[in-house]
Amino acid sequence: MAEVIVFIIFAMVALIGGITILVAPDPVYSAIGLLAAMFSLAVMYVLLDAHLVAVIQVIIYAGAVMTLFLFVIMLIGVDTTDKYGIVAPAQRIMTTVVALGLFVAILLAGRSAWITGTNLFGTPDLNGTIENVADELFGTWTIVFLSTVLLLTIAALGTIALAYFGNEVEDEEATL
Amino acid sequence: MDGLEVTASWYLILAAALFAIGVAGVVVRRNALVMFMSIELMLNSVNLTFVAVSKDLGLIEGQVASLFVMVVAAAEVTVGLAIIVAVFRKRSSANVDELAELKG
């Protein structure tokens, strides 16, 4: 019963956070909404016994990614011209139609998963501890894990290249 | 109410709702940062699906997959925000509607 209450509370927080991202006029409020959604998803992972994923969710998303987002918002400045939310009434209607339509479409597409296949979490006892996840990660999925290392390296290099070559072009324009 | 249990369906429906909100955000908002946050929300909702199904089927692979999604999301955030900052330095704007120079 406690699980149901916790689920309902944090599902509400996640949905309100998502809607805040969607409608808030100021990107800072959108960032706070995203933070709320990410924290409530971490709570969901704890409910699902995925402890390692929950911890990493808080560290990576709520820590690193959100800090990066807020930093860029500060860098770009919150009082620029594109500080507006959904302004036109037609846009509001379109948003609602798109969101609800897609939600219904996903429910219809996946109904076999959540109407007929009611497994009730009963079957095997699964515990997402570091040991269990690491066994799988460094056993079966070692190559994939190593390729993510490559991906992160390439991403870091790409970021450096974007910053570097951007400055170079500006310097050329300045000398012209 | 005593027999009420949180099943996998609840998590999947929540994930579907969050994904729909994310798609609506990308379609409707014109601020590149907010569009980016919506993409993050979609990735997160897919992670929730992975973990819920992992629990439901008793397979740890779903959690491993969600870790990979987090890595890809982190890489994506790095490059994406760098692009947004680079565009902002050129245009002094993060509005994607103003990036129409390549339009024929």
Side-chain angles (χ1 to χ4, degrees):
Chain A
M1 196 60 220
E3 198 191 351
V4 176
I5 295 167
V6 172
F7 176 88
I8 290 172
I9 290 173
F10 282 96
M12 286 299 159
V13 173
L15 288 174
I16 291 169
I19 290 168
T20 309
I21 298 174
L22 189 57
V23 298
D26 195 322
V28 177
Y29 291 136
S30 297
I32 300 300
L34 185 61
L35 188 64
M38 282 169 173
F39 261 120
S40 25
L41 284 189
V43 174
M44 298 293 167
Y45 297 150
V46 174
L47 285 181
L48 287 163
D49 288 334
H51 308 296
L52 178 66
V53 181
V55 169
I56 291 179
Q57 169 87 5
V58 172
I59 293 176
I60 301 275
Y61 275 118
V65 170
M66 285 316 300
T67 314
L68 205 59
F69 264 115
L70 286 172
F71 176 73
V72 171
I73 290 172
M74 283 193 294
L75 191 68
I76 285 180
V78 286
D79 53 352
T80 43
T81 50
D82 45 41
K83 178 188 164 187
Y84 57 80
I86 303 169
V87 275
Q91 226 176 359
R92 285 181 198 281
I93 297 166
M94 194 175 83
T95 315
T96 318
V97 169
V98 166
L100 284 180
L102 191 78
F103 180 56
V104 171
I106 296 173
L107 288 187
L108 286 179
R111 68 185 185 282
S112 61
W114 48 62
I115 290 179
T116 57
T118 46
N119 243 20
L120 279 182
F121 292 157
T123 39
D125 196 25
L126 183 73
N127 210 345
T129 57
I130 296 179
E131 194 185 355
N132 290 344
V133 176
D135 270 348
E136 193 67 31
L137 192 61
F138 298 120
T140 319
W141 300 100
T142 317
I143 303 293
V144 184
F145 178 73
L146 290 178
S147 59
T148 61
V149 175
L150 194 65
L151 174 75
L152 281 175
T153 314
I154 294 170
L157 287 177
T159 311
I160 293 169
L162 270 170
Y164 181 74
F165 293 120
N167 279 336
E168 200 178 44
V169 173
E170 270 174 16
D171 291 345
E172 278 171 15
E173 281 173 356
T175 53
L176 285 176
Chain B
M1 286 290 275
D2 277 344
L4 199 59
E5 264 187 275
V6 184
T7 65
S9 314
W10 295 33
Y11 292 101
L12 294 179
I13 289 168
L14 173 66
L18 287 177
F19 191 87
I21 292 173
V23 170
V26 172
V27 170
V28 158
R29 296 299 298 264
R30 297 272 64 93
N31 186 332
L33 273 169
V34 179
M35 290 172 80
F36 221 70
M37 288 177 203
S38 305
I39 293 173
E40 288 301 310
L41 188 68
M42 285 194 271
L43 285 166
N44 267 289
S45 74
V46 172
N47 267 350
L48 182 63
T49 311
F50 269 131
V51 175
V53 173
S54 148
K55 175 83 174 169
D56 199 33
L57 299 178
L59 296 169
I60 201 88
E61 276 90 346
Q63 300 187 12
V64 176
S66 75
L67 289 181
F68 287 135
V69 172
M70 282 181 192
V71 173
V72 173
E76 177 227 342
V77 163
T78 328
V79 179
L81 288 179
I83 292 173
I84 291 175
V85 171
V87 167
F88 183 78
R89 282 197 311 206
K90 292 266 171 221
R91 299 304 202 87
S92 301
S93 167
N95 189 338
V96 291
D97 278 345
E98 291 176 19
L99 304 175
E101 271 183 4
L102 287 178
K103 199 156 73 179

